[in-house]
């Protein structure tokens, strides 16, 4: 029998109304009692919960470290891990775990739901049951089929660091616009084996992370002359238009020069969720060529920001940061 760990972090899936009538996380044991389907699975489940169940909008790098360390402790004794997580920052957590737990050979499947577990029409039961089924899948050699961090939601298994939350009210809450789904669940589970991530690294835990990143979203009318450049920005993610485009204005160029003078690494990441940043495509973006700038290519914004935090935490030189950021560390960017 496969042994799968279940880590409960909170989120709508395990919430109920508190005395103020607002949805708040409940105890893990109470949440699990409401999932009788778990008892029907031919799987041994080891349950663990974080120090405090949270709404995932309260997520911090400190909790990512707690989660990664919990997963690392469980790894030797289980065949896979299912994490129950709020949907709001699930994609960020998936990215963080995919970078912190290098060289995975077992699955970490993150899931949650749009309606709490005890509510009529909840999507929690299908999500949890299928997440466990994917976590327990083995090939003919007995190896785990999934060997990466994935998000399971509404019949689709997505690479965690390629996914983002696309809807706050539809059951189909997650999308992976630049990479196909890894698998789907219908009458049968169907896995696209050729898309699965296989790491060449040896397994190891590396939880170093820094939050010295800034984000600026461009919009028509943004006054760059008034825009501050914070001294603690070691990386600035510039959310550009379309294929990585920006205005030609003098104030924008001056802003970029101020950022560069601050010794901040600048990353061009598009506001478009689908497609890639293509530098130099349009003449209008020539200001961007006046400074050294990294290109997030087809990474999700979530992935670009968490990857920056992780690479900063690892203390790379600017040159190494540039090199590592451009590489695919765990399948987050197309080669
Ligand atoms: N606010 C909730 C959370 O992310 C939403 C959810 O779980 O769907 O924890």
């Amino acid at each position: 029998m496969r042994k799968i760990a279940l880590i409960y972090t909170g989120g709508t899936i395990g919430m109920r109304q508190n005395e103020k009538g607002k949805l708040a996380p409940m105890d893990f044991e109470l949440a699990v009692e409401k999932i009788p389907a778990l008892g029907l699975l031919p799987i041994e489940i080891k349950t663990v919960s974080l120090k405090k169940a949270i709404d995932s909008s309260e997520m911090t790098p400190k909790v990512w470290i707690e989660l990664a360390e919990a997963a690392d402790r469980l790894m030797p004794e289980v065949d896979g891990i299912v994490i129950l997580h709020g949907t709001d920052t699930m994609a960020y957590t998936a990215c963080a775990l995919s970078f912190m737990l290098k060289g995975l050979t077992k699955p970490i499947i993150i899931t949650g739901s749009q309606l709490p577990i005890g509510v009529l029409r909840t999507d929690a039961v299908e999500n949890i049951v299928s997440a466990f089924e994917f976590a327990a899948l083995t090939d003919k050699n007995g190896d785990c089929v999934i060997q990466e961090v994935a998000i399971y939601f509404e019949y689709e298994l997505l690479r965690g660091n390629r996914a983002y939350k696309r809807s706050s009210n539809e059951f189909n809450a997650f999308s992976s616009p630049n990479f196909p789904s890894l698998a789907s669940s219908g009458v049968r589970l169907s896995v696209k084996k050729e898309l699965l991530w296989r790491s060449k690294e040896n397994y190891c835990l590396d939880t170093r992370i820094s939050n010295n990143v800034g984000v600026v979203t461009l919009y028509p009318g943004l006054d760059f002359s008034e825009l501050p450049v914070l001294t603690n920005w070691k990386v600035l993610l510039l959310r550009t238009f379309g294929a990585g485009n920006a205005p030609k204005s003098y104030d924008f160029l001056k802003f970029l020069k101020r950022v560069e003078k601050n010794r901040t690494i600048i990353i061009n990441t598009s506001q478009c969720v689908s497609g890639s940043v293509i530098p130099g495509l349009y003449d209008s973006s020539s200001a961007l060529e006046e400074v050294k700038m990294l290109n997030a290519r087809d990474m999700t914004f979530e992935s670009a920001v968490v990857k920056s935090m992780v690479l900063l935490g690892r203390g790379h030189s600017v040159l190494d940061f540039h090199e590592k950021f451009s590489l695919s560390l765990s399948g987050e960017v197309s080669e």
Side-chain angles (χ1 to χ4, degrees):
M1 203 189 264
R2 306 289 284 172
K3 188 170 174 186
I4 308 293
L6 174 62
I7 307 181
Y8 175 68
T9 69
T12 294
I13 196 159
M15 288 188 187
R16 66 174 174 193
Q17 281 186 340
N18 64 13
E19 50 302 336
K20 290 187 229 147
K22 294 190 194 301
L23 282 175
M26 64 176 157
D27 282 353
F28 182 55
E29 285 71 25
L30 289 175
V32 167
E33 273 170 25
K34 297 204 187 262
I35 321 171
L38 284 181
L40 301 175
L41 290 169
I43 290 166
E44 188 189 336
I45 300 174
K46 180 183 167 80
T47 53
V48 176
S49 45
L50 289 189
K51 280 188 203 126
K52 185 174 178 280
I54 55 168
D55 182 304
S56 80
S57 50
E58 315 238 29
M59 187 51 72
T60 60
K62 209 169 147 203
V63 183
W64 289 337
I65 295 172
E66 188 190 343
L67 201 47
E69 286 176 345
D72 178 63
R73 272 194 303 276
L74 289 161
M75 274 306 165
E77 48 163 322
V78 299
D79 300 300
I81 297 175
V82 171
I83 298 176
L84 302 186
H85 195 290
T87 57
D88 289 349
T89 61
M90 186 185 287
Y92 292 90
T93 296
C95 293
L97 295 181
S98 80
F99 299 132
M100 287 178 170
L101 294 150
K102 303 192 228 177
L104 280 178
T105 54
K106 296 178 184 178
I108 296 188
I109 315 285
I110 312 180
T111 194
S113 65
Q114 294 283 56
L115 285 175
I117 189 89
V119 167
L120 200 67
R121 298 179 53 247
T122 184
D123 49 334
V125 176
E126 202 291 311
N127 285 347
I128 293 174
V129 170
S130 294
F132 268 98
E133 292 200 295
F134 279 115
L137 269 191
T138 50
D139 63 18
K140 54 182 185 310
N141 303 319
D143 293 328
C144 296
V145 171
I146 314 295
Q147 301 186 10
E148 59 185 287
V149 179
I151 288 181
Y152 180 80
F153 225 89
E154 184 71 358
Y155 305 112
E156 300 282 347
L157 187 76
L158 308 175
R159 174 159 303 151
N161 56 30
R162 290 289 199 152
Y164 81 104
K165 182 175 178 181
R166 59 167 283 279
S167 172
S168 59
N169 65 345
E170 290 172 40
F171 285 146
N172 182 11
F174 286 86
S175 170
S176 169
N178 286 330
F179 198 76
S181 67
L182 304 174
S184 55
S185 79
V187 174
R188 288 195 193 85
L189 301 185
S190 148
V191 180
K192 296 173 203 148
K193 292 207 172 80
E194 67 290 357
L195 297 177
L196 299 175
W197 178 252
R198 289 293 183 264
S199 177
K200 293 183 189 80
E201 291 179 284
N202 289 330
Y203 172 75
C204 91
L205 171 73
D206 186 346
T207 57
R208 290 173 293 169
I209 191 157
S210 156
N211 61 1
N212 287 339
V213 297
V215 177
V216 168
T217 302
L218 302 190
Y219 59 90
L222 174 58
D223 186 353
F224 294 102
S225 64
E226 292 291 324
L227 213 56
V229 173
L230 304 188
T231 44
N232 70 346
W233 284 352
K234 298 271 181 270
V235 168
L236 173 67
L237 291 120
L238 209 55
R239 303 197 78 186
T240 54
F241 305 118
N245 308 316
K248 241 199 272 196
S249 82
Y250 175 69
D251 281 344
F252 178 51
L253 180 59
K254 259 181 74 184
F255 168 72
L256 292 178
K257 292 283 180 194
R258 279 192 285 135
V259 178
E260 199 172 52
K261 205 162 160 230
N262 195 43
R263 302 166 80 92
T264 303
I265 297 170
I266 310 172
I267 298 175
N268 186 346
T269 174
S270 174
Q271 291 170 40
C272 286
V273 289
S274 164
S276 191
V277 170
I278 308 171
L281 190 63
Y282 293 91
D283 177 55
S284 67
S285 305
S286 47
L288 298 175
E289 289 166 23
E290 300 287 323
V291 290
K292 196 156 173 43
M293 187 170 293
L294 274 167
N295 172 358
R297 308 212 305 269
D298 67 351
M299 268 179 246
T300 58
F301 169 71
E302 289 81 347
S303 205
V305 77
V306 178
K307 189 173 180 176
S308 302
M309 293 168 83
V310 163
L311 293 179
L312 278 179
R314 291 181 189 166
H316 292 297
S317 66
V318 172
L319 215 66
D320 281 355
F321 185 103
H322 275 250
E323 193 198 318
K324 295 269 178 347
F325 188 84
S326 306
L327 295 173
S328 167
L329 304 181
S330 49
E332 74 281 4
V333 63
S334 302
E335 304 270 10

